[in-house]
Amino acid sequence: MSSTPPSSLHLAVALDGTGWHPASWREPVARPRDLFTAGYWADLVAEAERGLLDFVTIEDGLGPQSSHFLDPDERTDQVRGRLDAVLIASRVAPLTRHIGLVPTVVATHTEPFHISKAIATLDYVSAGRAGLRVQITARPNEAAHFGRRTVQRIEAYDHPDTREQVTDLFDEAADHVEVVRRLWDSWEDDAEIRDAASGRFIDRDKLHYIDFEGRHFSVRGPSITPRPPQGQPIVSALAHDTVPYRLVARAADIGYVTPHDAEQAGAIVAEIRAEQEAAGRGAEPLHLFGDLLVFLDDDQAAAEDRRARLDALAGEPHTSDAPVFAGTPAQLADLLQELAAQGLSGFRLRPAVTGHDLAAITRGLVPELQRWGAFRSAYEADTLRGLLGLARPASRYAAATA
């Protein structure tokens, strides 16, 4: 590594089934028979916590996985099916002490009221380590699961003919997050009195209607769940282009981006910071994490050979929205430093084969970064906001009342 490492980086791992390579389930270390057990997920998150990572994200969706971008497929040679990400996080939370738990939620067909209380509950179960990754879907087959709306089929999110529809989906996601955040604030911190002697459990004046009226949602509130331990659990989103960059700038605490080199990383950071200013959030902290899909081995040739072998099993080279790295932990540490110098504050790594590459991150990459003072040697906070250096915000309604 270079002799001038950045201040301590933040690291997260994105968990998806047996790994992000579609043939990962066929590796001897993959444990596909355990994939739908609580123990499998508990083991993965325990390993991530062993490596002192800030948090894990857990993938989810509203339809079976597919090898096509926006359509279902009929393949039987890849993992299909998931457990619910929020429920996985709630099951694993009591088994962990420090690591953040950030399940994916799809805003397009889910009610913000339900999501707000689910993530608030996760924050209680984890004692302040919850977050969410908000996602949209433009798949017509997923809309058909709910029967409440139709979604016009689009060829690509960045196609000029579909920009209006895509913008509308992301605007809906921004409203979804706004409702969720208002509901988290709808109970003041001291709304619960719980005084058995006087018979007063709650101060009703400290529960607030949010009265949200927008194009997509009309929600009165208040929540049924008291204000979460963090006040506001972490909101994050993956973004690849200007429209989702605006969602990150308007609504998120963390944005995941996918630059393929340092120059592109700098340009993306600059664009999101400009959108953040335009949204009136220029003074608020906003972490930007680079996403990479990783094959990690003791030497680069072994990593590249493993990638080639998995591609052969899959019948085609695997491509990703994120850059794909195949090499050693030391080489990856150098790359992360180079990208961080462009304004990224952390990274979310996608293990190609979870059973192999997760441990390579925690036991190979993390020590490499620690040697250069670029990553923590112990957890320094008990909440996810604390790990990310974010203050606990006051309820907007308490401030208005005061």
Side-chain angles (χ1 to χ4, degrees):
M1 284 185 75
S2 163
S3 60
T4 56
S7 58
S8 187
L9 292 174
H10 297 284
L11 281 182
V13 164
L15 300 178
D16 186 16
T18 58
W20 285 78
H21 194 287
S24 60
W25 71 278
R26 300 177 67 179
E27 289 285 88
V29 296
R31 299 173 60 191
R33 294 183 180 275
D34 298 333
L35 184 54
F36 301 109
T37 67
Y40 174 83
W41 294 95
D43 289 347
L44 298 187
V45 179
E47 181 61 36
E49 187 170 64
R50 179 189 181 281
L52 307 176
L53 303 189
D54 290 75
F55 60 91
V56 298
T57 61
I58 304 170
E59 294 300 298
D60 208 342
L62 298 178
Q65 301 94 317
S66 176
S67 56
H68 302 311
F69 178 50
L70 290 170
D71 295 310
D73 66 15
E74 301 299 325
R75 296 187 71 148
T76 59
D77 64 332
Q78 297 177 1
V79 170
R80 295 292 180 265
R82 303 182 189 273
L83 299 179
D84 182 274
V86 175
L87 295 179
I88 290 172
S90 293
R91 176 64 181 84
V92 170
L95 307 178
T96 57
R97 293 184 57 198
H98 299 287
I99 194 166
L101 301 162
V102 182
T104 296
V105 300
V106 183
T108 309
H109 301 294
T110 56
E111 295 296 331
F113 190 89
H114 294 154
I115 296 303
S116 74
K117 69 186 182 72
I119 301 300
T121 300
L122 175 60
D123 210 40
Y124 275 102
V125 172
S126 65
R129 294 180 285 121
L132 65 86
R133 183 176 87 85
V134 65
Q135 181 175 294
I136 68 159
T137 175
R139 289 182 169 180
N141 67 298
E142 294 182 3
H145 292 324
F146 298 88
R148 296 180 181 177
R149 64 197 282 190
T150 57
V151 174
Q152 178 185 347
R153 192 185 184 286
I154 63 178
E155 294 302 324
Y157 284 133
D158 57 356
H159 194 280
D161 294 343
T162 58
R163 183 164 292 272
E164 182 178 353
Q165 181 187 348
V166 170
T167 299
D168 192 54
L169 288 169
F170 278 100
D171 284 345
E172 179 184 33
D175 278 359
H176 191 285
V177 171
E178 179 63 20
V179 173
V180 167
R181 287 193 181 279
R182 291 190 189 193
L183 288 167
W184 286 337
D185 277 350
S186 64
W187 289 53
E188 295 186 33
D189 288 323
D190 55 353
E192 292 178 89
I193 301 168
R194 291 183 277 197
D195 184 359
S198 68
R200 294 187 71 206
F201 188 88
I202 195 168
D203 183 344
R204 190 61 185 80
D205 291 337
K206 295 190 175 183
L207 272 63
H208 301 276
Y209 297 118
I210 69 167
D211 291 326
F212 182 90
E213 293 286 345
R215 283 185 55 219
H216 306 283
F217 304 104
S218 175
V219 181
R220 190 180 190 204
S223 177
I224 66 166
T225 307
R227 193 158 191 252
Q230 293 184 100
Q232 289 278 321
I234 295 300
V235 174
S236 64
L238 174 64
H240 302 101
D241 197 5
T242 296
V243 173
Y245 291 161
R246 287 183 186 140
L247 172 65
V248 167
R250 291 165 59 189
D253 302 295
I254 303 171
Y256 313 113
V257 297
T258 56
H260 287 256
D261 56 41
E263 181 180 2
Q264 190 182 20
I268 291 170
V269 169
E271 183 174 357
I272 294 177
R273 295 301 180 202
E275 293 287 353
Q276 190 182 358
E277 288 284 348
R281 293 186 67 208
E284 296 181 30
L286 171 61
H287 283 293
L288 298 178
F289 280 34
D291 263 28
L292 295 93
L293 193 161
V294 299
F295 296 80
L296 291 176
D297 283 282
D298 291 338
D299 65 80
Q300 184 174 351
E304 291 173 346
D305 288 348
R306 188 159 58 91
R307 179 183 182 184
R309 180 166 51 78
L310 286 165
D311 284 349
L313 283 173
E316 59 189 358
H318 177 57
T319 58
S320 173
D321 58 302
V324 179
F325 175 88
T328 69
Q331 290 170 328
L332 180 57
D334 270 331
L335 175 61
L336 299 189
Q337 178 183 320
E338 180 184 351
L339 294 171
Q342 299 301 314
L344 298 176
S345 55
F347 297 91
R348 187 178 70 141
L349 304 179
R350 308 179 188 180
V353 179
T354 306
H356 177 107
D357 295 297
L358 175 58
I361 292 166
T362 59
R363 305 179 192 205
L365 174 66
V366 165
E368 190 71 31
L369 292 170
Q370 287 170 332
R371 276 193 285 274
W372 289 90
F375 193 66
R376 66 172 61 89
S377 57
Y379 279 113
E380 66 277 0
D382 295 325
T383 69
L384 180 52
R385 293 190 73 90
L387 292 177
L388 293 167
L390 303 177
R392 185 183 189 276
S395 163
R396 71 192 73 191
Y397 301 108
T401 301

